[in-house]
Amino acid sequence: MTAPEEFELSAAGLVRAYVITKGRGLPDDDQLSLITLLTAAPEKGQRAPRLSPEEERLLDICSAGYLSVAEIAGHTRLPLGVVRIILAGLTEGGHLVTRPPVPRARKADRAILEEVLNGLYTKFG
């Protein structure tokens, strides 16, 4: 059986994350993956006065330039899921600009590579 103090500490961590995210769920991986790049949007006057301290901190981190979601989470002491939820909210609010990750390159055709290799062997022996 756990002691009352241990229960309070573990429950406090769960409630804190729920409060920070305002009860929102995780965004889709397509919308905000670990390698999605984010930066602060150009400010039009003052920042919104109703941002939480966590939102302010993430905006300050993102104002340095493009960072991936994983890098931003690494700069905070918040769980990755919480960071993704907050970043999604800031993006929807127009405070952050996202740049999708570069799509993977197609694999080269094996026949073409063999022709190039044979041509190099022929020319340079």
Side-chain angles (χ1 to χ4, degrees):
M1 184 166 192
T2 61
E5 295 100 22
E6 292 177 23
F7 177 74
E8 289 176 13
L9 289 175
S10 64
L14 293 174
V15 171
R16 176 84 172 133
Y18 182 81
V19 171
I20 290 172
T21 61
K22 300 174 184 160
R24 293 176 292 181
L26 284 170
D28 293 334
D29 284 337
D30 296 339
Q31 177 189 3
L32 203 62
S33 71
L34 291 177
I35 57 175
T36 301
L37 299 174
L38 297 126
T39 190
E43 294 185 26
K44 301 171 189 164
Q46 298 273 346
R47 272 193 187 162
R50 295 187 179 200
L51 294 178
S52 69
E54 292 81 15
E55 291 171 327
E56 286 284 341
R57 184 171 177 216
L58 289 177
L59 274 176
D60 288 339
I61 291 170
C62 293
S63 65
Y66 279 100
L67 292 172
S68 71
V69 172
E71 290 172 320
I72 295 166
H75 288 292
T76 67
R77 293 187 179 233
L78 298 172
L80 178 62
V82 172
V83 172
R84 285 183 62 213
I85 293 169
I86 295 172
L87 291 174
L90 290 171
T91 302
E92 291 167 3
H95 300 289
L96 293 177
V97 176
T98 63
R99 192 175 97 193
V102 177
R104 289 186 175 197
R106 289 183 346 179
K107 290 187 176 182
D109 186 21
R110 185 176 178 97
I112 293 175
L113 290 177
E114 286 177 356
E115 286 180 33
V116 170
L117 185 61
N118 291 336
L120 290 172
Y121 280 140
T122 304
K123 181 155 182 126
F124 298 109

